């Protein structure tokens, strides 16, 4: 996963663990971790912890949206502002 997303294994494990501690299944945690890594890569978040915390808050606030939908919208906003 890490190599595919251009990230470190440590980042993927960290994000996956964070989501698992929140009660998500391994499958859910892995998908959320992928979204966190992508968010870190396309945003101004400097580390995986910040991206994971932000995405966690946003997925709780916007429960009707998938984590990748949120990441895509944030990326689009970033492109408009840049």
């Amino acid at each position: 996963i890490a190599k595919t997303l251009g990230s470190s294994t440590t980042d993927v494990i960290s994000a996956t663990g964070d989501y698992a501690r929140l009660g998500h299944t391994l499958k859910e945690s892995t998908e959320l971790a992928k979204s966190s890594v992508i968010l870190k890569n396309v945003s101004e978040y400097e580390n995986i912890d910040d991206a994971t915390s932000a995405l966690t808050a946003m997925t709780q606030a916007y429960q009707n949206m998938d984590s990748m939908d949120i990441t895509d919208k944030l990326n689009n906003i970033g492109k408009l502002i840049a």
Side-chain angles (χ1 to χ4, degrees), residues 5-39:
L5 298 175
S7 184
S8 70
T9 303
T10 304
D11 281 355
V12 173
I13 291 171
S14 175
T16 303
D18 288 344
Y19 289 115
R21 281 188 290 282
L22 290 171
H24 294 281
T25 66
L26 180 58
K27 184 178 179 180
E28 293 168 339
S29 296
T30 303
E31 288 304 311
L32 288 162
K34 287 179 185 178
S35 296
S36 288
V37 169
I38 292 168
L39 180 60

Side-chain angles (χ1 to χ4, degrees), residues 18-24 28 32 35-36 39 51-71 74:
D18 288 344
Y19 289 115
R21 281 188 290 282
L22 290 171
H24 294 281
E28 293 168 339
L32 288 162
S35 296
S36 288
L39 180 60
T52 300
S53 293
L55 191 56
T56 297
M58 287 180 261
T59 55
Q60 289 175 348
Y62 302 102
Q63 294 179 5
N64 62 328
M65 292 179 68
D66 177 85
S67 62
M68 273 310 300
D69 289 338
I70 294 170
T71 300
L74 289 172

